[in-house]
Each structure stands twice: as structure tokens, then as C-alpha cells.
Amino acid sequence: MTAGQHADLSLPEPSLDQCWQIAERKSGLFLALACRAGARLQTADAQRVERCGQFGLHLGILLQIGDDLDGLWASEGARSDLLAWPRWTLPVAYTMAVSGAVDRDRLRDALRRAPADADAEEQARHLIIAAGAVLYLATEARCHRRRAQEALLQAVPPSAARDELLALLHTYTPLEQT
């Protein structure tokens, strides 16, 4: 988990694959450990414990996706992640991975100027959205939600607690329609 956090802070321009590894290590493994520990208190069944760990892993990645998507915009009392140049998040890494050289250069330039220029921040956001990063990450989020849901349904018998965890998955799936 600390290796994931270290990579997040020390790799200024991670590839898309590296961003996924960071998300898994930093958020996914943290929640996987917490869910395994909780399950272990309830059961000695190794398969159930592992499935609870898989639930936590995918929930953690889901939370990281949501955090990175939220970071595209400024929120109350916080700046957008686009101002954290040169640190890349999943949306930026995705855009860099799928864009042509001209758009990559435009995005790099906009990100470099964004901390001092609101128009450059908006231009960077527009390039990221136009590249399909939001849709890509929403799709990935749904995949992780499905995997977490499957693991939970296999690990935990029907109960109010399981229903609350299933609702939590829905709550933390970015861009999920209610």
C-alpha cells in the first residue's frame, strides 16, 4: 500500500498501466486487507475470506476511479487535480495513451500552464473529456463494481449487512444513474 502511495507521489507521468497499478496498490489492497481481516473474524473459510478480499480490492479501485474523476473539477475548498502538474491521474494517463502526438502536446502544454491560467485548465479538461477518458473510466468503474458485487454475493449470505455493502457499491460507482 505504501509502495502505491510512493509511486503516486514519485512518478510524475505514469503510464496508464502504472496508474492502474497505483490505484490497485494504494486503494485496492488497503480495502482488500480490511475486508479480509473483517471476514476472518467471522469465518475460517478461506474461500469466503478471499472473496471478501476481492470485494475490498475492487471497491478500493472503484473509489480511486471516482476520486480521479472528481479531481477533473474543482470542488469546494479544493483545486482540481489538473493543477497538480506534472502529476498525472487516470484521466490524464488515459488521454496521453490514446491521443495522437498533437493532442498529447496540447494537453501537456495546457497542464503546464493550468496552475496560473484558468483557461488552460479548462482546455486540459476539454481535451481529456474529448478523448473519452470519462466514459472509459465510467466503464472501468462498472466492471470493478460488477467484480466486487460477484465476490460479495459469493462470500456473504443474504443479510442486511450484505445489502448495505451492495448499496455502497452503487453509491461509489462514478456516473452511475440512479
Side-chain angles (χ1 to χ4, degrees), residues 18-49:
Q18 288 172 318
C19 278
W20 282 119
Q21 290 170 2
I22 289 168
E24 182 175 321
R25 290 178 182 154
K26 158 173 129 166
S27 302
L29 292 179
F30 177 75
L31 286 178
L33 176 61
C35 290
R36 277 190 190 99
R40 186 61 186 100
L41 291 172
Q42 177 65 31
T43 183
D45 183 331
Q47 280 189 324
R48 288 181 62 199
V49 170

Side-chain angles (χ1 to χ4, degrees), residues 27-61 144-159 161-162 165-166 168-169:
S27 302
L29 292 179
F30 177 75
L31 286 178
L33 176 61
C35 290
R36 277 190 190 99
R40 186 61 186 100
L41 291 172
Q42 177 65 31
T43 183
D45 183 331
Q47 280 189 324
R48 288 181 62 199
V49 170
E50 177 53 30
R51 287 183 180 130
C52 286
Q54 286 298 307
F55 166 78
L57 175 77
H58 293 291
L59 175 61
I61 294 170
H144 285 284
R145 182 193 65 202
R146 181 183 46 76
R147 291 178 190 138
Q149 182 176 333
E150 288 172 0
L152 185 65
L153 291 173
Q154 293 173 359
V156 179
S159 65
R162 184 176 87 172
L165 291 172
L166 290 170
L168 188 72
L169 287 174

Side-chain angles (χ1 to χ4, degrees), residues 6 15-16 24 35-36 41 44 66 82 90 121-122 125 138-139 153 155 160 172 176 178:
H6 178 266
S15 69
L16 183 57
E24 182 175 321
C35 290
R36 277 190 190 99
L41 291 172
L82 298 175
L90 280 164
E121 179 186 3
E122 184 58 36
R125 186 177 299 108
T139 301
L153 291 173
Y172 287 107
E176 185 67 14
T178 56

Side-chain angles (χ1 to χ4, degrees), residues 138 141-142 145 169-178:
R142 285 183 183 92
R145 182 193 65 202
L169 287 174
H170 183 74
T171 299
Y172 287 107
T173 302
L175 305 173
E176 185 67 14
Q177 294 180 348
T178 56

Side-chain angles (χ1 to χ4, degrees), residues 106-126:
R106 288 175 59 206
L107 181 55
R108 269 196 183 89
D109 179 60
L111 290 170
R112 182 186 51 75
R113 293 183 295 112
D117 182 350
D119 289 336
E121 179 186 3
E122 184 58 36
Q123 180 186 13
R125 186 177 299 108
H126 174 75

